[in-house]
Amino acid sequence: VSNNFETHSRHGGHKGFNRMVWDTYITGKKVIMSHISRDSSEGYPGDLLVRVIFELSPKNEFKVNFEAQSTKPTIVDLSHLLYFNLAGHHKGPDEIYRHILTLNCNCYTPQVNRIPTGEIQNVIHTEYDFQIPKILGKVMGLVPKDGYFQNLCVNRGTYQEECFVGRLLHPPSGRMLEIYSNQPGVQLNTANEFGYGAVKSIEDIISEPKVKESIEKLDNSMLLYEKVHKKVLDLLKLDSKNNYEEIKELIWKFRSYKVNPGSTSLEKFVNEGFP
């Protein structure tokens, strides 16, 4: 969710990049996404070209690379929210407490209403000290709402590029995640607002009224499209000697009815539009 707090902006404003449709293409083992934020969008100066590259390496590394260029001096602070439950799919928040977390961070940035105050404080003797591995279930009760939402400062040299940020281990499954970055900070978020949610089977989802109605519409549309497809094939067999005039007329009628999947115009076209 994008939020503005008076003169402060989080996640890019009311309509941040998380609400934009990005251009995407795949090359090799990379997925490349790009977006152009126009001058003055959400109050930020300059046309901003943003590119994010996602790559899965042969070493089982998931790499995320951000690039941005602006036509005017502006503020750019890009991030990507990644949530991992190493216990596995549908294991729920109970397994989060069994994770062991280590962070290469000796300082944190205090905040008010999730906005940093500008201070930098040491993590020693605070609930944010993960320099020594800790089981989340033993420390999460020490913070408000029984979870973390805090930015911490990564220990890195002045000229150091990529460095170790943290390690997350789930002993019951044996799964481990290590994070390396060239950024000065890391956001620790235990997804407090996610809750338990509802675990549903595919049968439960299909039986829901709205989903059931959508499936029925889709099924009806597919039957109608099959009818159109059969008609087109028949015309192609019979119409080649007439320079495909009938098929051209059918296409013209199809467009004139402004046919959309699941719409009444598709059914009307099938019933009335065929020559």
Side-chain angles (χ1 to χ4, degrees):
V1 178
S2 302
N3 297 306
N4 277 1
F5 297 96
E6 297 177 356
T7 57
H8 301 290
S9 176
R10 292 179 59 240
H11 295 177
H14 290 291
K15 192 174 181 182
F17 289 171
N18 58 317
R19 297 187 178 185
M20 301 297 182
V21 177
W22 292 52
D23 293 322
T24 306
Y25 70 95
I26 299 174
T27 173
K29 296 181 179 179
K30 297 180 181 179
V31 176
I32 302 177
M33 302 179 67
S34 60
H35 173 68
I36 297 178
S37 177
R38 296 300 178 186
D39 189 12
S40 300
S41 175
E42 294 297 323
Y44 293 98
D47 290 331
L48 182 71
L49 172 61
V50 182
R51 191 168 78 149
V52 186
I53 303 172
F54 300 94
E55 179 183 5
L56 185 61
S57 78
K59 296 181 180 180
N60 206 28
E61 300 168 321
F62 180 54
K63 299 182 179 181
V64 184
N65 184 60
F66 295 90
E67 299 173 359
Q69 291 180 325
S70 178
T71 58
K72 296 179 182 179
T74 190
I75 299 171
V76 183
D77 185 14
L78 301 173
S79 63
H80 185 239
L81 301 182
L82 290 169
Y83 292 94
F84 290 95
N85 186 340
L86 299 183
H89 188 55
H90 275 173
K91 294 299 182 180
D94 290 334
E95 287 297 323
I96 295 296
Y97 294 105
R98 298 186 180 185
H99 285 63
I100 298 175
L101 178 65
T102 309
L103 289 175
N104 180 28
C105 303
N106 63 353
C107 293
Y108 73 101
T109 56
Q111 56 188 6
V112 176
N113 293 328
R114 295 192 172 184
I115 300 296
T117 62
E119 303 172 86
I120 296 179
Q121 296 185 3
N122 201 293
V123 297
I124 300 297
H125 304 306
T126 74
E127 62 270 32
Y128 306 120
D129 187 3
F130 286 93
Q131 295 178 102
I132 297 175
K134 291 182 180 178
I135 301 174
L136 287 179
K138 293 186 177 181
V139 295
M140 283 176 67
L142 300 175
V143 294
K145 294 185 179 180
D146 197 31
Y148 285 90
F149 186 91
Q150 180 62 50
N151 178 69
L152 296 101
C153 307
V154 179
N155 290 321
R156 56 195 304 272
T158 305
Y159 301 104
Q160 188 175 6
E161 287 296 322
E162 200 173 87
C163 71
F164 174 72
V165 174
R167 179 183 297 110
L168 191 63
L169 172 67
H170 183 253
S173 67
R175 296 188 184 98
M176 182 183 70
L177 169 71
E178 285 190 349
I179 298 176
Y180 295 81
S181 174
N182 62 357
Q183 297 302 296
V186 60
Q187 185 76 14
L188 172 59
N189 187 347
T190 48
N192 319 318
E193 67 278 9
F194 279 25
Y196 275 79
V199 179
K200 297 182 179 180
S201 66
I202 187 65
E203 289 79 12
D204 294 331
I205 295 172
I206 290 175
S207 62
E208 292 180 359
K210 288 185 178 179
V211 177
K212 194 173 182 180
E213 184 182 350
S214 297
I215 291 174
E216 287 174 355
K217 283 184 178 179
L218 182 59
D219 287 342
N220 185 48
S221 296
M222 292 308 295
L223 290 172
L224 293 171
Y225 273 122
E226 271 187 37
K227 194 172 180 181
V228 173
H229 184 246
K230 187 177 182 304
K231 183 66 176 180
V232 169
L233 288 177
D234 290 341
L235 286 175
L236 284 172
K237 292 176 183 176
L238 301 173
D239 199 30
S240 58
K241 294 181 180 179
N242 298 320
N243 199 25
Y244 300 104
E245 290 301 325
E246 286 192 42
I247 201 76
K248 291 176 183 176
E249 183 182 355
L250 181 65
I251 293 171
W252 180 85
K253 286 185 177 181
F254 191 84
R255 289 178 175 175
S256 66
Y257 272 80
K258 296 180 179 178
V259 174
N260 293 309
S263 68
T264 56
S265 59
L266 175 59
E267 189 170 358
K268 186 178 179 183
F269 167 76
V270 171
N271 293 332
E272 303 176 5
F274 279 165

